[in-house]
Structure formats: C-alpha cells, structure tokens
Amino acid sequence: MTENLVKSSKTKELQEKRDRYVARGVGNGNRRLAAKAKGAIVTDLDGKRFIDFAGAIGTLNVGHSHPKVVEAVKKQLDDYIHPGFNVMMYPSYIELAEKLCELAPGEDEKQVILLNSGAEAVENAVKIARRYTGRQAVVTFDRAFHGRTNLTMGMTAKVNPYKTGFGPFSPETYKAPFPYYYQKPKGMTDDEYDEFVIEQFEAFFVGVVSPESVACVVMEPVQGEGGFIIPSKRFVQYVRDFCTKHGILFVADEIQTGFARTGKTFAIEHFDVVPDLMTISKSLAAGFPLSGVIGKKEYVDACNPGELGGTYCGSPLGCVAALAVLDILEEEKLNERSEEIGALIEKQALKWQEQYEFIGDVRRLGAMVAVELVEDRATRKPDKEKTSAIVKYANENGLLLLNAGIKGNIIRFLTPLVITNDQLKEGFSIIEDALAAL
C-alpha cells in the first residue's frame, strides 16, 4: 500500500513538472509515465500495464526493447558512441547503406544518405530532386503529412495542429488530388472514381503548376496521418508514369509504411512501382533516431560532397540498431506476421461495423488498419467526437491507441508486429468496452 502511494506520488510530481517545464506545444496522448516496455507491453511508474496499439506512432514494428537490438546497441556503446561520419567513417553506416540498397525495389544501382528524422529525410529527398532536375516545385497530395519543419509543413495538408500560425512556408509546394474511395461521390464505381481523380490530376498540372517546373512528386503509398487512405494500383502507376513522362522524380515516403508494416518491406511494392527516391525512418531503428533517403545513384550523385549531411546523421547507435532490425524482420518473418495481424484486426473491426451504425469504413494494407467513424452511413459525415471518446477511454484503461485523419475521425492500428494474439484480443476487449460506453 505504502509503495503504491509512493509511486502514485511520483507520477503526480512528474506530471506537474511536465506542465511546468515542458513546452505546451508538445502533445501527449497519454499522461502516464513509462517505467518499462517489452514487446507490445508498456508498464508505467505505478505498475499499470498498457497494451501498445500505437507503437510510438509506427516506430516499433519489432517491438519495445527487442533483445537483438538491445544487445547490438550495448556492444556498440563499449566501442564508441559517435565519431561523426563526416569526420571519421565507421563500418555500420556503410553496411546499413549496402543492405538498404539491396532491399529497396528496382534493379538500378542505388545509394543512401542516413539522417536523423523523417522530416529531415523528406527535406533531403527534395534537395536531391531539385539539384538533379534543376527545378524548384514540389508536389504532394491532399491529406499528405511529411513533417513539421518549414518545408515539410508546406508539403503537409492538415492545417490544425500542424500549420496554423507558423507560416510563411517554403514557396513552390503544391497539393494534387488523391483518391479517397470511402468518401467518393455517390453512385461512382471505384474504377469511375479513379478516372475522375486522374482527370483532376491532369487538370492540376494545367491550372496550378506546369510539369516542367516540378522537381519531384512525393507520395505516401498509404497516407498515414491523413487517415490510412490506400490508393489503387492504377492511380499509383499512373502518377509514376506521369513523372517519367515529364522528367519528374517520383519519391515514395515510406516513413510510416516501411519495414513490414503493410506486409511487404516497403508499401510501394504492393503497387508494382519503382520509385526514384524513397524516404525511410520510424521502424528502421526500433526507436533510435535514424532516417534515410534511398535513391538511384544517378540522382543521389547530383549532390557534391558537403551538400548533404549533418552532425548526428547516421549515428553508430542508430545504425547497429537498424542492422539488427533488418535481421529480425527476416528471421521472425514479420512481413508474414504483419498480414496475419492485419487480418485479425480487420475481422474484429468488421464485427464492430455490423454492430454499430457509426462505424463507416474498415480498410487495411497488411497490419496498417483504419476504422473510420461517421455520424451515420448515409451522410458519411466524420464523427471526431466519438473517435476522441474511444481513444480517451482506451488510454485510460490500459490500451495505447491513436486517431488520425484530417478531421480526426479515424482510429488507426499501429501495433508492434511481435504482438501476440492474446494481447490483440485483450486490446480488442478494451475497444469493445469503449464502443459500448458510447
């Protein structure tokens, strides 16, 4: 009893210090404090156990504190922490670059630059594209999210909370139409809707920006923050062909979708498309800050020595963690497990859809699953209030859960791919309680 009171007191003390010393602009979906995390379970300072359906926003595909990652990082700490790759090279950076080039789609010779964060990877992909093409304009899509830096805020579609009051943004960024099949005009088939969006896309390059001005088109193969929106193979291939035709580099933003999240190492593989450049981060290094750009050598080589890089880019700790992650993906068959997890979540979500009129859509690619909440299925009007209530209930009752979408009405599933079926069922039970409470 006394021990529990001491723990609760420590939690309260740190929550108060967080409010006093940490910037208010940093969001916290859950105000508990982690004490230990393993696999798909996080335990807080008070000993309360949380099942993790969030995975640090898709960062922990191999789970919390995977033994192979921990071992690799501990060993690296004994040797050196950070010579700085720009000052003196180290093997793990080069070995990781080689493996990433081998894993990336396409047969062309490739090169890699390693960085720190997803936004930094996107910025460097744009730098490479601009240097290679000699053009300035960057095209992304409706509902896109690419980061919180000045350039990537301009590339991002969601205004609140990411952009309001932070402008002006980097010029020459534009947003093209992107398919959203659940919210398509009534009466249209998916094929008709594809044709409609493609016509809009073509009109965009007549009325908004000329293709001859565009350095790159940056696409999330599955939109993440935008609500786990999955385009058709036809649309993605059309955009790829359009870029080729007009000398525009096609950039796949795989920051949230990469490393087995969708049942393939990279989501773009589902669409039989080879990107010119690819941005990676999040689950690359199991929680260590690391990102990268993988691209055809011809494009990456356009930049001269010193034009790309940074002090902590490709740190040894991140590199050895990433090398361990790549081994784990293969050894534990996480692409196959991703599909199994996704199918289980989808099956459960479809049951909820039968029970509750306010569940409008269930969609997935691999283990990247979304449940969209609406006021009613006739209008398909987004219901942010119910979504927020479910997420709040989950986080108060032992389940780390996130929402998504421009209008905040989508529950997204980003479980570690090492989660057990029993842990999934336990998480489903908490969501069922939240649904019933509505």
Side-chain angles (χ1 to χ4, degrees):
M1 181 70 173
T2 305
E3 184 182 351
N4 288 338
L5 287 173
V6 170
K7 287 179 178 177
S8 295
S9 174
K10 183 65 173 175
T11 294
K12 188 172 185 296
E13 177 191 345
L14 286 169
Q15 287 171 340
E16 290 172 352
K17 284 186 176 183
R18 182 262 178 265
D19 293 337
R20 182 176 179 183
Y21 297 114
V22 179
R24 191 169 65 93
V26 178
N28 297 110
N30 188 309
R31 282 179 57 85
R32 309 295 293 186
L33 290 117
K36 201 170 187 62
K38 191 79 172 175
I41 301 296
V42 181
T43 306
D44 75 3
L45 285 178
D46 298 331
K48 183 174 175 60
R49 177 177 167 275
F50 288 82
I51 299 161
D52 193 351
F53 276 19
I57 320 180
T59 301
L60 297 165
N61 287 358
V62 302
H64 294 271
S65 308
H66 193 289
K68 190 157 191 167
V69 174
V70 172
E71 180 186 4
V73 172
K74 282 182 175 178
K75 182 178 183 303
Q76 180 59 62
L77 280 167
D78 286 336
D79 294 335
Y80 52 83
I81 295 175
H82 192 64
F85 194 74
N86 301 114
V87 178
M88 176 173 273
M89 300 189 298
Y90 36 88
S92 56
Y93 188 118
I94 298 166
E95 290 165 6
L96 179 58
E98 179 184 20
K99 288 204 171 187
L100 291 171
C101 287
E102 291 170 351
L103 280 173
E107 300 302 320
D108 292 296
E109 192 175 354
K110 303 177 191 74
Q111 288 187 332
V112 166
I113 173 174
L114 297 176
L115 304 149
N116 300 295
S117 70
E120 194 174 7
V122 173
E123 292 240 1
N124 277 272
V126 171
K127 284 173 68 174
I128 291 165
R130 283 175 167 169
R131 173 51 64 90
Y132 177 79
T133 63
R135 304 172 182 179
Q136 286 75 47
V138 177
V139 171
T140 59
F141 292 90
D142 295 337
R143 296 179 305 279
F145 179 86
H146 296 291
R148 291 181 175 89
T149 59
N150 186 266
L151 173 61
T152 56
M153 277 193 295
M155 296 168 67
T156 290
K158 190 171 183 177
V159 175
N160 287 312
Y162 301 125
K163 299 170 71 170
T164 302
F166 295 128
F169 304 115
S170 178
E172 295 283 357
T173 58
Y174 304 90
K175 290 166 196 69
F178 193 88
Y180 190 171
Y181 298 93
Y182 179 63
Q183 296 289 357
K184 69 178 184 288
K186 289 182 179 178
M188 274 192 185
T189 66
D190 284 354
D191 285 342
E192 289 169 342
Y193 182 56
D194 270 336
E195 193 64 42
F196 173 71
V197 177
I198 286 170
E199 287 174 2
Q200 287 186 315
F201 187 85
E202 290 173 346
F204 169 86
F205 280 97
V206 173
V208 179
V209 61
S210 166
E212 289 72 31
S213 302
V214 177
C216 58
V217 170
V218 184
M219 177 191 287
E220 299 162 272
V222 178
Q223 291 188 325
E225 300 294 319
F228 287 19
I229 311 300
I230 307 165
S232 68
K233 183 182 287 191
R234 178 187 177 192
F235 179 76
V236 178
Q237 291 182 348
Y238 169 81
V239 175
R240 164 73 271 189
D241 291 344
F242 182 93
C243 289
T244 302
K245 177 181 177 182
H246 293 282
I248 300 167
L249 297 196
F250 180 87
V251 183
D253 182 339
E254 291 272 2
I255 289 160
Q256 192 164 154
T257 55
F259 303 102
R261 172 54 51 188
T262 66
K264 291 187 182 291
T265 305
F266 301 108
I268 199 67
E269 296 174 66
H270 288 281
F271 303 94
D272 296 327
V273 160
V274 176
D276 297 311
L277 300 171
M278 191 160 61
T279 59
I280 54 173
S281 188
K282 286 194 181 283
S283 279
L284 168 62
F288 285 87
L290 187 68
S291 68
V293 180
I294 311 171
K296 293 181 183 178
K297 185 176 186 296
E298 174 187 357
Y299 307 139
V300 180
D301 258 356
C303 298
N304 296 313
E307 292 180 347
L308 304 175
T311 303
Y312 292 105
C313 292
S315 77
L317 298 179
C319 287
V320 296
L323 287 166
V325 165
L326 298 183
D327 287 342
I328 293 162
L329 294 181
E330 184 176 355
E331 291 167 3
E332 301 187 15
K333 296 181 169 49
L334 292 190
N335 275 319
E336 291 87 341
R337 180 57 181 158
S338 176
E339 181 60 30
E340 292 171 1
I341 290 168
L344 289 169
I345 297 171
E346 181 182 36
K347 183 179 179 181
Q348 182 61 62
L350 289 173
K351 288 181 182 177
W352 296 332
Q353 190 181 41
E354 289 178 6
Q355 289 179 266
Y356 299 99
E357 177 68 20
F358 56 78
I359 294 182
D361 193 32
V362 175
R363 52 184 176 265
R364 79 172 178 99
L365 192 63
M368 201 167 183
V369 189
V371 174
E372 180 160 353
L373 274 66
V374 293
E375 291 183 7
D376 63 78
R377 292 179 194 163
T379 64
R380 292 174 288 181
K381 185 177 179 181
D383 195 330
K384 181 178 180 179
E385 186 176 331
K386 280 191 180 70
T387 309
S388 298
I390 292 167
V391 170
K392 183 173 185 290
Y393 181 96
N395 277 280
E396 289 174 349
N397 289 275
L399 178 67
L400 302 179
L401 190 65
L402 301 170
N403 70 345
I406 290 288
K407 299 189 177 175
N409 68 309
I410 291 150
I411 294 171
R412 55 174 158 169
F413 293 81
L414 287 167
T415 72
L417 302 179
V418 297
I419 195 168
T420 68
N421 288 358
D422 285 343
Q423 289 165 351
L424 278 172
K425 288 175 186 175
E426 195 176 343
F428 295 157
S429 177
I430 295 168
I431 295 174
E432 284 174 354
D433 291 343
L435 291 167
L438 291 175

